Amino acid sequence: MNKKQLVILLLAGLWMYPSVAQEGRFKALFLVKFSEYIEWPSGNSDLTIGVVGNTDVFDELKRFTAQKANLSVINIQSASDSPKCDIIYVPGVKLKLIGELVSNIGSKSTLLVSDDGNQVKKGADIGFFVDGNKLRFILSKENIESKKMVPSSKLLALGKTI
Amino acid sequence: MNFTTRLLLACVLIWGVTSSSQAQDGSDILEMSLEDLMSMEITSISKKAEKLQNASSSMYVLTSEDITRSGATTLHEVLRNVPGYWGVQDEYSSVYSSIRNSPTENGSTGTVLYLLDGTPIQDLMGSTFSFVNFDIPMDEIDRIEIIRGSGGTVYGANSATGVVNIFTKNPENYDGINLRTEAAAPGYTATSIRAGGTISHRLSVSGYGKFRYFSGFESMAGVDEDGNRTVDNSRFDKNYDKSNVFSAGLKLNHNLNDNSKVSGRFHYNGLQKYAYTNYYDRNFAFTGDDVLVENKVKSNRLVGNIRYDYTFGDSHDIFFRASTNIENDFIKAGGGYQVSNAIYDFEIQDNISIGTRYDLSLGANFRLVNFDIHDINNAEVINYIEPDSRESIKGVFVQDKIKFFGDRLNIILGIKSENYSLVNSNYYLSPMAKLAFIPNDNLTIWGGYNQSFTTPGFNNTNIDFFLFQTPGIEAWTAAAQQGVSAQVFTQAYDAAIAAGADDATATAIANTEVSNFLASPTGQQTVAATAQSLSQENPNVAVKNGSATVPTRFQTVEFGFRTGLKNFVSLESNFFYTNISDGVRESQDPIHLDEESITQPGRFASYYLYGNYAEGTSIGAENMIRIQPVQGISLELTHSWLQTTWRWQTNEDFDVNDSNVVSDKDITPDVPMIPENVFRFKGQFDLPRNFNFTLGLIHASEFRTQANYVTDKERYENIAIGESNTKIAPNSSRTIVNLRLEKKMINDKLTLYAFGNDITNRGIIADTNNIYNVTLSKIGAMYGFGINFRMK
């Protein structure tokens, strides 16, 4: 193996390895971006992201929100905590709470983001899915707008809509 | 976004994660646009006879005719017709199975005891039964008695939720000489010869031989679930679904006199196939490639017993049995290894009736258990504390059946005490109390309570299994140098360009900056710190056993009734509730960090622990209606329901109330491993002109199969770290349709038949156990025909 091949391999490896545990980081980043690409009726100046259960997404969001004046993150354990949040992220292990959350949120302007794209059909506003090696999201314009939030055209263009 | 931009963004990400010197906190990443974010590649993480009618248990019996007319080609295909049983294939003959227990994750539950002519045939590694290393002519089986629920006092260890008791045909009542051959598409053929009968009034003998060949349903080398080619040159060039199985048996009964007899039962099978295994070596972090191992598997099993029966009279008999199950098997976990495990079981049971009221049974057994694990493909990956060791199981029991009102009401009380030296020196008590009320010959109402234990397998007490191996510090240093260089280069290059330099000049400046920085004390410290950080953040990840793994306890309350309405309809319903404690599973995350390996001194790892961390409940029912409207037609409709819930159990190894250790106390899988509801229909129709037809329908509700697969690497994701993957084998319900048409000729001496098994299956990946499998196997429909010629 020549030096160039080695360098490429190492760089490729270096790129690959630290990324393997980084799914949580990417999801956290997406959540931050959702807060920027959706308009809340009361404005986006003070938004709270609630993360159900303890996941690495919560840890990553803590770091990111420390640098975003308009964003804060809290850890919630049950659907009854939904009034405290503008965005709620439901990880895969907590998907059974989706129905309760949808019911608790009702028409309030709380964006419900699920780890599973299939949950969008069950009332979530946005759901993640993996396409190839890339993280994607599916969203329901109807759900979001019914709660008086306005998704940007860019968000609608980049996400898969139902 | 072009490659260079993505590379730079990746370096920014890496820098943010790894570089302590620059205390990056992700601000650069936050500046990425949603489009940039979406273009980044990510990796996702993830035993005395009893009228069945009077039995105070939920029993189901498959007769020889049921088995033959089912069209089944393997034991699993026979058993899947039993209400309450569920098995999942990961290839044609490899199955994990359960009765009345849905585990928290893939794999057999270890709570169902399998016996062949009275000999326990458990795989000692996980207290399970290895279907793949077992074969016998299906028509050699006389009947299979399945107890749903605990085997209780008599069967003891590992019969906590079920017993599958396979009885082969008795030489004294043998069905002559039979030659059978059958073939099916795809690629299945089996030929057997069986012969037996009475040689003298004292001696009867039988024997059989069988060969079975199977070439696989459909190769999935290089293709995805839908058959689309995803890898041009698949690394799987051997047909890993192809298998040859030989089996032979010898049985004899010798009546010594009117009061005593000796019998022997011996079964042998040998399996040849290829099996692919893989493991992750120390380069995996850089290359993303596993190490593939092609294994030429030669497994075999010898099951035998010699039994001496003595009858003192109508009310007192005793037997002594010495039995063995010797298995040479190949285990695919951790790169693969060979096991040569054996049990030598000695048991004595005395059955005595005292008057007309008491039927007393007393028994004791002593079981020697030999573990011999050898030819481990990579002992750095998987090893055992004592790979060659000998253990024992000792047990005594007493059971009394007390009869009232001429057997209309009977109460069974029993208790068994057992010790398994592999676990500890304690004796575990399994008490049982059952009652059956039989007001008339058409109705039995029964109920009871029992406590039973499942002993942990060798895998639950001895294992040291490295799931991920970190590279050495030298490798991390080289990687760190590359990363730091790229970062310095980018910064210097961008600065030069901003200052007005052209590309060549900026590149030269940046290269000089890189050389100077790497040569400087700051640069060297940065590289060293980054390498150290990478090494510390990416330690070896391994799994071993917790502080003291004890048997899993099952406490079951069950009741049921069976009734005959008129002469042609019978109904049966059984309900159960089981409380499970000390269930064995792994911790949610590594618990012991930076701990020295128990099999490799000097190596350290972050250890997942494997111990009594789960408790739960199972609730369920089995319901059956059987109708025989006219002679020659039998219809059976059954429904089984099972719901098992799991939660973390308070233990000595970690605090289940610490949200940093346990994210959710409820660990019930979102989608159960064993389907909650299974409906079965069986219709047997005797038709004119000596034809008969059998239809079997099975419909199961959704159960878990989904897994994460790394398509371009042709392997499952590494479970310790998670990787870029594709979801495969989506969770779904399952419908199985089996048909068989038979024609008997020449006074039933010649039988011709055609069958279709699982005919609606167009090809599915049924199971995706990523501990044992490297790549995918499909199962599908099988269409075939056969001929049986009874010569005598």
Side-chain angles (χ1 to χ4, degrees), chain A residues 17 23 33 96 133 136, chain B residues 32 38 42 44 538 666:
Chain A
Y17 185 72
E23 183 178 357
K33 293 296 160 193
K96 58 187 174 190
N133 296 326
R136 298 278 187 256
Chain B
M32 290 169 69
M38 291 189 69
I42 61 102
S44 288
N538 303 287
D666 183 353

Side-chain angles (χ1 to χ4, degrees), chain A residues 7 13-17 20 23 25-26 29 33 37 54 67 92 94 96 130 132-134 136 154 158, chain B residues 10 25 27 29-30 32 35 38 40 42-45 285-286 468 479 482 538 659 664 666 670 724-725:
Chain A
V7 168
L14 193 60
W15 183 7
M16 182 209 78
Y17 185 72
V20 294
E23 183 178 357
R25 163 167 282 212
F26 276 88
L29 281 166
K33 293 296 160 193
Y37 288 80
N54 295 298
Q67 302 159 57
K94 296 286 189 181
K96 58 187 174 190
V130 176
N133 296 326
K134 294 172 181 172
R136 298 278 187 256
K154 185 174 276 186
L158 291 171
Chain B
D25 50 19
S27 59
I29 306 168
L30 284 170
M32 290 169 69
E35 294 98 307
M38 291 189 69
M40 294 295 290
I42 61 102
T43 303
S44 288
I45 309 287
F286 295 130
F468 169 77
Q482 295 299 323
N538 303 287
S659 60
D664 186 350
D666 183 353
D670 293 332
S724 297
N725 60 63

Side-chain angles (χ1 to χ4, degrees), chain B residues 527-586:
Chain B
V527 169
T530 304
Q532 193 65 30
S533 175
L534 281 165
S535 177
Q536 287 173 352
E537 289 174 13
N538 303 287
N540 291 315
V541 180
V543 60
K544 66 175 181 177
N545 303 106
S547 50
T549 305
V550 299
T552 302
R553 184 174 64 180
F554 295 76
Q555 297 165 298
T556 299
V557 176
E558 56 184 334
F559 60 95
F561 73 92
R562 57 183 73 88
T563 182
L565 299 175
K566 309 289 184 184
N567 291 323
F568 63 92
V569 179
S570 60
L571 292 168
E572 179 174 342
S573 280
N574 308 299
F575 305 90
F576 68 93
Y577 175 86
T578 302
N579 186 58
I580 310 165
S581 53
D582 294 322
V584 177
R585 63 155 292 148
E586 77 281 9

Side-chain angles (χ1 to χ4, degrees), chain B residues 111-115 120-122 155-159 162-165 367:
Chain B
T111 61
V112 180
L113 178 67
Y114 284 77
L115 302 117
I121 48 176
Q122 300 301 94
Y155 290 104
N158 302 317
S159 67
V163 179
V164 175
N165 209 346
R367 193 178 300 173

Side-chain angles (χ1 to χ4, degrees), chain B residues 282 373 376 378-388 458-459 461-467 469 540-545 595-605 607:
Chain B
R282 299 187 192 210
I373 295 161
I376 300 172
N378 191 323
E380 272 198 340
V381 172
I382 194 165
N383 214 327
Y384 291 82
I385 302 170
E386 293 179 274
D388 186 1
F458 205 61
N459 279 332
T461 55
N462 268 267
I463 201 167
D464 191 18
F465 184 7
F466 278 65
L467 304 169
Q469 300 189 78
N540 291 315
V541 180
V543 60
K544 66 175 181 177
N545 303 106
E595 188 167 275
E596 190 168 20
S597 160
I598 48 176
T599 64
Q600 299 173 66
R603 284 191 92 188
F604 290 79
Y607 274 99

Side-chain angles (χ1 to χ4, degrees), chain A residues 79-151:
Chain A
S80 61
D81 290 325
S82 64
K84 304 172 187 169
C85 313
D86 302 289
I87 300 174
I88 296 178
Y89 167 71
V90 188
V93 293
K94 296 286 189 181
L95 291 180
K96 58 187 174 190
L97 285 178
I98 286 281
E100 206 179 334
L101 280 162
V102 169
S103 160
N104 273 26
I105 291 169
S107 61
K108 293 193 275 290
S109 300
T110 303
L111 185 74
L112 185 59
V113 182
S114 164
D115 212 12
D116 177 2
N118 294 323
Q119 301 300 317
V120 174
K121 294 174 189 162
K122 299 177 183 174
D125 302 309
I126 299 180
F128 289 117
F129 68 99
V130 176
D131 182 16
N133 296 326
K134 294 172 181 172
L135 190 63
R136 298 278 187 256
F137 60 91
I138 184 169
L139 76 166
S140 167
K141 182 172 180 277
E142 190 182 343
N143 283 0
I144 297 171
E145 290 179 341
S146 71
K147 293 193 275 189
K148 301 180 184 68
M149 296 176 284
V150 182

